Amino acid sequence: GRAEEAVNLSVERRVASANLIVALTALFGGVTLGLFQALEHAGMNVYPALAPVIRSYYHGLTLHGVLNVLVFTTFFICGFVPLIAARAFERPLWSARLAWFTFWLMTAGLVLATIPLLGNAASVMFTFYPPLKAHWAFYVGLTLVVAGTWLVTLNLAMTLRAWRASHPGQRTPLPGFMAMITFTMWSIASLGIAAEMLFLLIPWSLGLMSGTDALLARALFWFTGHPIVYFWLLPAYISWYTLVPRQAGGKLFSDPLARTSFILFLVLSTPLGFHHQYADPGIHHVWKLVHAFLTFAVFFPSLLTFFAVVASLESG
């Protein structure tokens, strides 16, 4: 494309490819395990034939959830979004070394978490609610993956800063703006799961604490666990707003409307977690009601997106 002709983005493409290889490998494993679960629900007892690789239904279900929900999505996004941003800014990422370090840090975390997963020492589902307890390596590995996403945010922020220094007074390119919003939202949202890991689950799994707070752990998980849905969704919206209209031969209906929808996602996405905990004791009903209204409010940026994307397609 024009951006790649103007500037060499070969490093960004290689980093994206490496992330996508890990992501699609995880997706293949997760989908395969999903097939085994479907066969089990259909009355075929497949897990004895899979032993000792897959020890039980819940062993396979945990692998399925972690590979699809956490690994595939995170690595795909960390490959796709920075490349889209670099093309939009028409400049390489701020630090190629940081981009590669991020990938290898996340991969090392994935390997560390996978060892107890494969060994049936972390069959706690992708939500890993206590009092279910996994091996400490599972929690530490996932924490390294989350830390890697923060480094992606840093690289994007510094790239945006460099672009602004050389383009004073110009509006940030829409894909770059959306990429920055996506990772800003995720960096805020992921503080919940990081706190859960560092202060509750890792010390508990290492035997440094005799117990943990199950309700607090669930609340911290869903502080991240609901916004992670928008972490998956917003990269798709980036493609719908910036790639699909051009592919359809049309043009974006409204740039300000697109930016507004992403700002609304940033503001509204995080304070929603209690709607996953309506049946939990210890959370006041007023907070549950507030989160119910906020949950409905997220409808509005989705409605804006629907209208803008369909109008852009119609123009083509």
Side-chain angles (χ1 to χ4, degrees):
R2 180 173 58 86
E4 293 184 35
E5 294 173 2
V7 63
N8 183 6
L9 297 179
S10 59
V11 172
E12 288 70 21
R13 291 198 301 274
R14 288 198 298 270
V15 173
S17 297
N19 276 282
L20 293 181
I21 288 171
V22 175
L24 295 176
T25 302
L27 178 64
F28 176 79
V31 168
T32 303
L33 289 161
L35 172 62
F36 296 149
Q37 292 157 44
L39 293 175
E40 183 79 11
H41 282 284
M44 300 173 60
N45 189 11
V46 299
Y47 288 98
L50 298 173
V53 178
I54 306 297
R55 311 278 179 86
S56 69
Y57 173 81
Y58 285 103
H59 186 198
L61 184 59
T62 299
L63 282 164
H64 166 74
V66 171
L67 289 175
N68 280 355
V69 174
L70 303 179
V71 180
F72 162 64
T73 53
T74 303
F75 277 84
F76 187 97
I77 293 164
C78 289
F80 172 75
V81 173
L83 177 60
I84 290 293
R87 287 173 57 88
F89 292 131
E90 298 187 6
R91 63 185 306 126
L93 293 174
W94 174 65
S95 173
R97 288 184 177 181
L98 179 60
W100 278 119
F101 175 78
T102 299
F103 169 74
W104 289 116
L105 176 68
M106 293 173 62
T107 303
L110 173 59
V111 171
L112 186 61
T114 299
I115 293 171
L117 269 175
L118 291 176
N120 198 29
S123 297
V124 293
M125 322 293 267
F126 81 90
T127 49
F128 42 84
Y129 290 152
L132 296 174
K133 184 193 290 188
H135 190 276
W136 63 265
F138 173 75
Y139 300 126
V140 173
L142 290 184
T143 302
L144 292 177
V145 173
V146 172
T149 64
W150 296 342
L151 295 179
V152 174
T153 305
L154 173 62
N155 216 345
L156 286 173
M158 296 305 293
T159 305
L160 174 59
R161 180 183 180 187
W163 181 89
R164 283 180 171 170
S166 59
H167 298 77
Q170 294 187 27
R171 176 182 288 182
T172 305
L174 182 60
F177 174 85
M178 290 177 162
M180 198 66 246
I181 289 286
T182 299
F183 271 87
T184 299
M185 181 277 295
W186 170 247
S187 295
I188 296 170
S190 59
L191 293 175
I193 201 169
E196 180 191 9
M197 294 290 197
L198 294 175
F199 300 115
L200 296 178
L201 299 185
I202 293 176
W204 178 50
S205 64
L206 288 170
L208 302 177
M209 295 167 51
S210 59
T212 191
D213 188 325
L215 178 61
L216 178 59
R218 283 167 61 86
L220 289 172
F221 176 85
W222 285 115
F223 184 88
T224 300
H226 185 81
I228 200 175
V229 175
Y230 302 109
F231 186 49
W232 308 334
L233 183 65
L234 293 184
Y237 281 9
I238 292 174
S239 71
W240 294 359
Y241 275 115
T242 65
L243 303 180
V244 170
R246 183 174 61 184
Q247 292 165 349
K251 62 180 181 179
L252 181 63
F253 174 76
S254 170
D255 182 285
L257 187 149
R259 294 173 193 264
T260 299
S261 71
F262 267 64
I263 292 171
L264 287 174
F265 275 118
L266 174 63
V267 173
L268 296 172
S269 63
T270 303
L272 301 180
F274 287 161
H275 80 219
H276 291 271
Q277 296 179 268
Y278 285 147
D280 285 13
I283 300 174
H284 198 277
H285 63 272
V286 171
W287 283 114
K288 293 177 180 179
L289 181 63
V290 168
H291 280 226
F293 282 113
L294 290 171
T295 301
F296 286 114
V298 181
F299 165 79
F300 291 102
S302 295
L303 181 64
L304 292 178
T305 299
F306 171 78
F307 175 81
V309 171
V310 171
S312 300
L313 291 174
E314 184 180 10
S315 74

